[in-house]
């Protein structure tokens, strides 16, 4: 055998060995643990969550990268080397002795599920070329597949204040536990007289069709955060108008939490910050000020990080719906996302108006005059969510209102 052939053979063997090692490493990096019992079911497994095939987002090909990671359209991404590490949900350990974090770490199951260093909010400093390339392979709400780089980039550039990187300023609650109530809209609250208890919390989260007038004794009046997707917000204004939900909660200190489930959320958020009509899409011509008030500056808005939504779904609410024809539609409910957001930012969390074991005794919503059964939609797994709330309650990580 001649020398050139021998060298060629050696190179082929080396290339084959390298490829095998890479494939082996990739397999062990992505393989998932076996399914566990369903109560925190196959749902609470850590590991990659694949919700749709990867693909090049529509519109992304119309932009060319210029020097320094800039786009010819004028949107720029932060060079990865200059980006700070994503800030943990808490900069320092909480002084609260019986905090969510402390209780989760003490629980043999939940200590493996909670990752408190996962960024909760997306803001300007997270928008890098590396992040774009990674998230454009996942569909919304877990990424940016199919979204316009120009729209996403121009929106995130407006979330550039320190208030956009954290849900609240912990310094405003010195020396104690930050107590949060998350108020769902379940019929269990009708006649509950939990209004005073809800108002006693430091911060109160509400969502979607949060009717307050006429139900103050049951649900309280305090609103610190209002969480929604543009779709759920608008649907609520139509569906629950007859029950008194005619306007999104507004207030000087109230903050809005956008769940980025579609391109329209990014477009509406940008227009809301700029105080201008929506320029394109299904909400074209809409005036955000009628929802969020006349003086809604960037500091009033929070945007959940797609990585956070991916983490919550993969570790807490990995539904069996992901194995069905509805997999591309599935995402946790708005209430579930708000409750899990509170669990990753507050010290102590109480859940009101969420689905419980005896949900059939109550109407779908607390403000309905006639009892209506709870509606189960194909894009949510309410039974899985109910099992999670019961498990968290038994572990002492949340206080779930039951009756």
């Amino acid at each position: 055998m001649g020398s050139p052939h021998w060298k060629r053979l050696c190179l082929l063997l080396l290339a084959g060995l390298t490829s095998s090692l890479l494939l082996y490493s990739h397999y062990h990096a992505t393989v998932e643990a076996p399914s566990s019992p369903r109560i925190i079911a196959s749902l609470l497994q850590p590991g990659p969550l694949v919700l749709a095939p990867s693909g090049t987002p529509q519109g992304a090909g119309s932009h060319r990268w210029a020097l320094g990671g800039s786009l010819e359209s004028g949107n720029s991404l932060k060079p990865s080397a200059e980006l700070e590490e994503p800030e943990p949900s808490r900069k320092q350990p909480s002084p609260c002795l019986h905090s969510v974090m402390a209780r989760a770490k003490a629980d043999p199951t939940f200590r493996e599920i909670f990752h408190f260093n996962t960024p909760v909010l997306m803001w300007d400093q997270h928008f890098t070329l590396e992040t774009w390339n990674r998230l454009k392979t996942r569909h919304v709400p877990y990424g940016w597949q199919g979204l316009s780089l120009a729209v996403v980039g121009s929106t995130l550039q407006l979330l550039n204040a320190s208030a956009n990187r954290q849900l609240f300023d912990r310094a405003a609650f010195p020396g104690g536990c930050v107590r949060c109530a998350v108020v769902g809209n379940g019929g269990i609250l009708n006649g509950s007289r939990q209004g005073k208890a809800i108002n006693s919390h430091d911060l109160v989260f509400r969502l979607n069709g949060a009717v307050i007038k006429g139900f103050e004794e049951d649900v309280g009046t305090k609103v610190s955060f209002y969480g929604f997707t543009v779709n759920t917000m608008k649907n609520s204004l139509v569906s629950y108008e007859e029950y008194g939900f005619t306007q999104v909660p507004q207030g000087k200190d109230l903050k809005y939490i956008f769940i980025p489930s579609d391109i329209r959320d990014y477009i509406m958020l940008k227009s809301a910050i700029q105080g201008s009509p929506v320029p394109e899409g299904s909400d074209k011509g809409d005036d955000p000020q009628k929802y969020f008030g006349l003086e809604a500056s960037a500091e009033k808005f929070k945007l959940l990080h797609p990585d956070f939504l991916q983490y919550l779904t993969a570790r807490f609410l990995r539904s069996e719906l992901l194995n069905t024809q509805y997999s591309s539609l599935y995402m946790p409910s708005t209430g579930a996302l708000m409750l899990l957001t509170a669990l990753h930012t507050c010290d102590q969390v109480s859940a009101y108006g969420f689905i419980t074991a005896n949900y059939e005794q109550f109407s779908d919503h607390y403000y309905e005059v006639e009892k209506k059964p709870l509606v189960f939609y194909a894009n949510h797994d309410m039974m899985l969510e109910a099992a999670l709330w019961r498990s968290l309650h038994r572990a002492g990580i949340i206080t779930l209102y039951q009756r």
Side-chain angles (χ1 to χ4, degrees), residues 80-399:
S80 299
E82 297 178 8
L83 176 67
E84 305 172 42
E85 286 297 315
E87 185 179 352
S89 299
R90 296 183 177 89
K91 292 181 180 179
Q92 300 174 346
S94 169
C96 186
L97 294 178
H98 302 292
S99 66
V100 168
M101 183 183 290
R103 290 182 181 274
K105 289 182 176 180
D107 186 271
T109 298
F110 285 108
R111 74 162 66 111
E112 302 298 327
I113 297 169
F114 276 91
H115 277 189
F116 288 100
N117 63 337
T118 303
V120 173
L121 302 179
M122 167 68 81
W123 72 308
D124 173 59
Q125 289 297 307
H126 286 158
F127 192 51
T128 67
L129 175 58
E130 179 184 4
T131 301
W132 170 259
N133 285 333
R134 179 169 55 82
L135 293 184
K136 74 180 184 180
T137 65
R138 304 187 207 145
H139 75 73
V140 287
Y142 310 102
W144 296 326
Q145 188 180 81
L147 304 190
S148 162
L149 174 57
V151 170
V152 174
S154 60
T155 300
L156 293 180
Q157 285 179 338
L158 299 175
L159 298 173
N160 54 24
S162 59
N164 301 128
R165 71 186 298 180
Q166 57 188 5
L167 207 61
F168 56 86
D169 183 5
R170 184 166 284 275
F173 306 92
C177 300
V178 180
R179 299 176 60 248
C180 297
V182 184
V183 185
N185 301 320
I188 192 172
L189 287 176
N190 190 304
S192 66
R193 296 186 176 274
Q194 292 299 303
K196 288 185 178 179
I198 290 170
N199 285 344
S200 70
H201 290 76
D202 297 307
L203 299 167
V204 178
F205 294 68
R206 297 183 192 269
L207 53 117
N208 294 343
V211 179
I212 292 177
K213 187 175 181 180
F215 297 91
E216 295 87 349
E217 286 192 358
D218 292 336
V219 303
T221 57
K222 192 171 184 177
V223 188
S224 309
F225 299 102
Y226 176 73
F228 60 97
T229 69
V230 172
N231 184 58
T232 62
M233 176 186 73
K234 289 197 165 187
N235 284 347
S236 296
L237 287 168
V238 173
S239 301
Y240 310 126
E241 180 182 13
E242 63 178 298
Y243 302 113
F245 189 70
T246 57
Q247 186 181 45
V248 171
Q250 294 183 7
K252 179 183 177 182
D253 298 322
L254 191 153
K255 304 297 189 296
Y256 299 102
I257 302 177
F258 271 76
I259 302 169
S261 69
D262 196 355
I263 189 65
R264 68 192 299 202
D265 295 292
Y266 291 93
I267 295 172
M268 177 67 78
L269 175 55
K270 178 181 177 180
S271 293
I273 295 172
Q274 294 178 329
S276 59
V278 176
E280 59 181 306
S282 57
D283 303 301
K284 184 176 181 179
D286 205 356
D287 182 8
Q289 293 183 338
K290 70 182 180 183
Y291 306 117
F292 312 116
L294 298 177
E295 299 179 357
S297 63
E299 287 74 13
K300 288 187 76 70
F301 298 102
K302 318 288 183 178
L303 178 67
L304 292 187
H305 200 303
D307 281 341
F308 183 62
L309 300 176
Q310 162 101 351
Y311 151 76
L312 295 183
T313 305
R315 287 182 163 266
F316 292 88
L317 292 169
R318 181 185 287 271
S319 173
E320 291 175 359
L321 290 171
L322 292 169
N323 301 320
T324 72
Q325 60 182 319
Y326 304 109
S327 61
S328 62
L329 300 176
Y330 172 74
M331 66 180 289
S333 69
T334 306
L337 293 176
M338 287 302 98
L339 183 47
L340 288 165
T341 294
L343 281 167
H344 284 78
T345 51
C346 304
D347 290 320
Q348 295 177 353
V349 177
S350 302
Y352 297 87
F354 282 79
I355 186 171
T356 55
N358 60 341
Y359 71 91
E360 292 179 330
Q361 297 180 21
F362 311 104
S363 189
D364 193 356
H365 302 97
Y366 61 80
Y367 37 77
E368 290 161 340
V369 178
E370 296 182 3
K371 182 180 177 182
K372 296 184 178 181
L374 178 63
V375 178
F376 294 91
Y377 295 99
N379 61 331
H380 300 315
D381 190 336
M382 302 306 292
M383 290 295 95
L384 172 59
E385 292 182 9
L388 176 61
W389 311 145
R390 290 195 298 271
S391 298
L392 288 164
H393 178 78
R394 285 196 298 267
I397 296 172
I398 68 170
T399 300

